[in-house]
Amino acid sequence: MSSKDWIEKDYYAALGVQKSASSDEIKKAYRKLARESHPDHNPGDPKAEERFKTVSEAYAVLGDEAKRREYDEMRSLFGSGAFRRGARGAGQPGGVPFDVSDLFGGGGAAGADTRFGGGGFTDLFSSIFSGGGGAGGPARPRGPARGRDVETEVALDFDDAVRGVTVPLTLRSPGVCDTCHGDGAKPGTRPKACPVCHGAGVTTRNQGSFSFSEPCRTCQGVGTVVEEKCPECQGTGGVTKTRTLNVRFPAGVADGQRIRLAGRGEPGERGGPAGDLFVQVKVRPDELFGRTGDDLTLTVPITFAEAVLGTDLRVPTLDGAVTLRVPPGTPSGRVLRARGKGVVRRDGRAGDLLVTLDVVVPAVVSDEARATLESFAEQTPPAAREHLDARVRRVG
């Protein structure tokens, strides 16, 4: 982040705290906001990812006592966003003649403010508006740039997601040209220094008392130009490549989970690091099992007689079968638990298999079965419904 960011950005507002907040209050606010906006908790939400970057940037300054002190002093001197590109300078219509040394009671070392370094206010302004090159110094060209992140989606079978699996992913994304090795020049030639910015990557223009720098339009801020372009990439230094990555999905990966593979995204520019690859997981549903966290779920039908008399029930798991005891008098909807037959956790322990019993009531019965049920009903006390009957009498 630059000094210009410090002037224009209100980091206290980003964290939702007062300027007088203590270090503990700032830390508490940051942890809360970072947890709420973390990309792992908001998969596929670019707004949450941007909020996370904003609060992280704010805490990087306010969480450091020295940086926070400099930030407060800078904003108290300059105000929030008081200086912008395009502000009218001396000699322009509406402009006021302005000497930087007037702020400190005259020029020279005696009037310099050393809170931002030995160069004082003048060096600080040069750093803000001239790319950090220092007062009167040359602007710095753009350095290595990190490659962009890449996102893709993969569908896994239910069993593979539970057990873990390695899947080859084929991606088409920009890559470094193999012919020119990324410099965009025809083999046997080299890029030359830009004739406009002379390799700086930026151009400077004066406006009143200030100088402003911007990326060179001739070389697009790179500092070099290609006179003889590479026939493969046409001078861009990059081509679209097809690559295959073998990605290992750990056991227990869940539907909707976003997995980050550091450094497997697009390559960086001018020697910069590669971006990251994010893989969004979609798990195909299983015909028998469901999943709740680390537990597997299964619904098993039983007959009325099995629910009344009890039975031993043989049910499948992902790696075999288990026998569960259904006690006599079991109601429909009761859940039986087979411990350790669920999803294996990262620590080696496993979730459970939760079996929900569904008592099936036949729509049609034989005459003999009906007679038996009627005899059973005569010998069985009615269900306790006195509290319902009392309400019926009250409202009837």
Side-chain angles (χ1 to χ4, degrees):
M1 65 189 77
S2 65
S3 302
K4 190 169 184 290
D5 289 332
W6 284 20
I7 293 177
E8 296 186 352
K9 295 182 180 180
D10 188 344
Y11 291 141
Y12 290 101
L15 295 180
V17 297
Q18 298 294 325
K19 186 178 179 181
S20 58
S22 65
S23 297
D24 289 340
E25 290 173 332
I26 289 175
K27 182 184 295 185
K28 182 178 179 181
Y30 164 69
R31 288 179 174 176
K32 177 177 181 294
L33 294 174
R35 185 166 52 250
E36 291 175 351
S37 59
H38 197 282
D40 290 347
H41 295 167
N42 303 272
D45 186 349
K47 292 184 178 179
E49 187 171 347
E50 188 62 32
R51 287 197 302 271
F52 179 76
K53 292 180 180 178
T54 299
V55 299
S56 298
E57 178 182 336
Y59 184 68
V61 175
L62 301 185
D64 184 304
E65 291 186 5
K67 290 183 179 179
R68 181 183 180 185
R69 185 164 55 250
E70 291 182 9
Y71 172 76
D72 290 341
E73 290 176 345
M74 183 180 295
R75 286 174 64 84
S76 67
L77 276 177
F78 305 148
S80 57
F83 300 93
R84 293 282 194 270
R85 289 183 183 270
R88 289 178 294 184
Q92 294 189 12
V96 179
F98 178 71
D99 187 346
V100 172
S101 62
D102 289 344
L103 287 178
F104 307 109
D113 189 321
T114 60
R115 284 180 290 179
F116 304 104
F121 186 91
T122 306
D123 283 350
L124 176 62
F125 250 67
S126 178
S127 174
I128 293 173
F129 295 110
S130 299
R140 293 176 300 195
R142 294 193 305 177
R146 181 181 181 275
R148 291 188 299 177
D149 294 336
V150 177
E151 185 158 350
T152 188
E153 184 177 291
V154 64
L156 301 180
D157 289 335
F158 188 88
D159 282 12
D160 289 337
V162 171
R163 301 175 189 274
V165 66
T166 299
V167 176
L169 294 183
T170 300
L171 304 174
R172 286 182 57 83
S173 61
V176 176
C177 176
D178 294 328
T179 302
C180 65
H181 305 292
D183 65 13
K186 179 181 177 181
T189 67
R190 299 286 297 172
K192 296 183 178 180
C194 175
V196 175
C197 66
H198 306 290
V202 291
T203 56
T204 303
R205 59 187 175 88
N206 294 321
Q207 184 171 338
S209 299
F210 308 112
S211 64
F212 301 90
S213 296
E214 60 185 2
C216 175
R217 298 183 181 181
T218 301
C219 65
Q220 304 301 316
V222 177
T224 58
V225 292
V226 177
E227 294 183 344
E228 296 185 67
K229 296 181 179 180
C230 170
E232 180 67 25
C233 65
Q234 301 302 313
T236 63
V239 294
T240 299
K241 289 185 174 182
T242 299
R243 54 187 173 132
T244 300
L245 303 176
N246 289 323
V247 179
R248 175 65 186 175
F249 294 91
V253 64
D255 182 64
Q257 188 170 341
R258 194 166 178 251
I259 295 178
R260 173 177 171 265
L261 301 175
R264 307 307 293 270
E266 290 188 8
E269 297 179 8
R270 299 176 297 283
D276 298 334
L277 170 63
F278 292 90
V279 182
Q280 188 84 17
V281 178
K282 297 295 182 183
V283 179
R284 301 184 183 98
D286 188 80
E287 60 181 6
L288 289 180
F289 297 102
R291 180 177 172 183
T292 303
D294 291 329
D295 294 331
L296 297 179
T297 60
L298 178 66
T299 298
V300 178
I302 61 173
T303 65
F304 176 74
E306 289 174 328
V308 173
L309 302 176
T311 186
D312 288 330
L313 197 63
R314 190 77 169 162
V315 298
T317 69
L318 287 179
D319 54 4
V322 293
T323 299
L324 300 176
R325 177 61 185 170
V326 179
T330 295
S332 184
R334 182 169 182 176
V335 178
L336 305 180
R337 184 183 297 269
R339 298 193 178 277
K341 296 299 182 181
V343 179
V344 179
R345 302 186 180 102
R346 291 185 177 180
D347 58 8
R349 295 182 296 172
D352 301 330
L353 172 63
L354 305 180
V355 179
T356 300
L357 301 179
D358 180 22
V359 178
V360 178
V361 178
V364 178
V365 296
S366 64
D367 293 340
E368 292 81 359
R370 180 178 294 278
T372 301
L373 285 172
E374 289 173 349
S375 174
F376 172 80
E378 292 174 356
Q379 301 175 46
T380 304
R385 293 195 288 264
E386 291 81 1
H387 61 296
L388 301 178
D389 295 338
R391 176 61 64 90
V392 170
R393 287 193 296 272
R394 250 194 340 264
V395 300

